[in-house]
Amino acid sequence: MENLHEWRKQVKYLRYQLELFTPTWPEVVGKLAGQAEEVGDLLGDDHDLAVLRGMLTDTDRDERPTEKMGSIAELIDRRREKLQSEAIAKGELCTASGPSNLLVG
């Protein structure tokens, strides 16, 4: 989760930098800024779901996780997989090779 969160921050920085240069070449730079925004949104949704899942399955709570919570956690996991896959696919346009090799930093 830490790498995805860092990747999201870097994609957001890239987006803001691209937006500064969008007026110089809107067809290309504007499109890249839009793609960076999409990746940032996908990663943001993934992060929100990771936090929610952590809250649902927190073992420090007094009560045991119910079966319903386990089912919800499974749904969250499936949705996160889809979000991460989509972010990685779209993110290849913004970074060298996904979250491990950032172009900006």
Side-chain angles (χ1 to χ4, degrees), residues 9-25:
K9 291 189 318 188
Q10 295 302 321
V11 167
K12 287 179 75 105
Y13 298 148
L14 176 61
R15 172 191 157 205
Y16 297 138
Q17 292 165 352
L18 288 169
E19 285 177 351
L20 290 172
F21 293 99
T22 295
T24 63
W25 199 5

Side-chain angles (χ1 to χ4, degrees), residues 3 5 9 14 23 33 41 44 52 66 70 73 75 78 92:
N3 288 344
H5 183 63
K9 291 189 318 188
L14 176 61
D41 289 345
L52 176 62
T66 64
L75 291 172
R78 279 190 256 154
E92 288 177 347

Side-chain angles (χ1 to χ4, degrees), residues 7-102:
W7 185 31
R8 177 178 179 240
K9 291 189 318 188
Q10 295 302 321
V11 167
K12 287 179 75 105
Y13 298 148
L14 176 61
R15 172 191 157 205
Y16 297 138
Q17 292 165 352
L18 288 169
E19 285 177 351
L20 290 172
F21 293 99
T22 295
T24 63
W25 199 5
E27 300 83 20
V28 175
V29 180
K31 184 176 180 178
L32 284 173
Q35 290 169 338
E37 182 177 16
E38 285 180 44
V39 172
D41 289 345
L42 291 166
L43 293 170
D45 290 347
D46 174 70
H47 179 73
D48 292 346
L49 287 173
V51 171
L52 176 62
R53 189 187 192 292
M55 292 169 58
L56 288 174
T57 59
D58 185 4
T59 56
D60 291 339
R61 298 182 324 164
D62 291 335
E63 55 192 67
R64 289 185 167 173
T66 64
E67 188 176 315
K68 189 178 276 189
M69 284 186 194
S71 297
I72 293 171
E74 288 176 25
L75 291 172
I76 289 171
D77 291 344
R78 279 190 256 154
R79 179 63 181 144
R80 288 191 66 212
E81 285 178 22
K82 288 180 182 179
L83 288 167
Q84 290 173 19
S85 294
E86 190 175 347
I88 289 169
K90 290 182 183 230
E92 288 177 347
L93 299 171
C94 300
T95 62
S97 61
S100 60
N101 295 319
L102 302 173

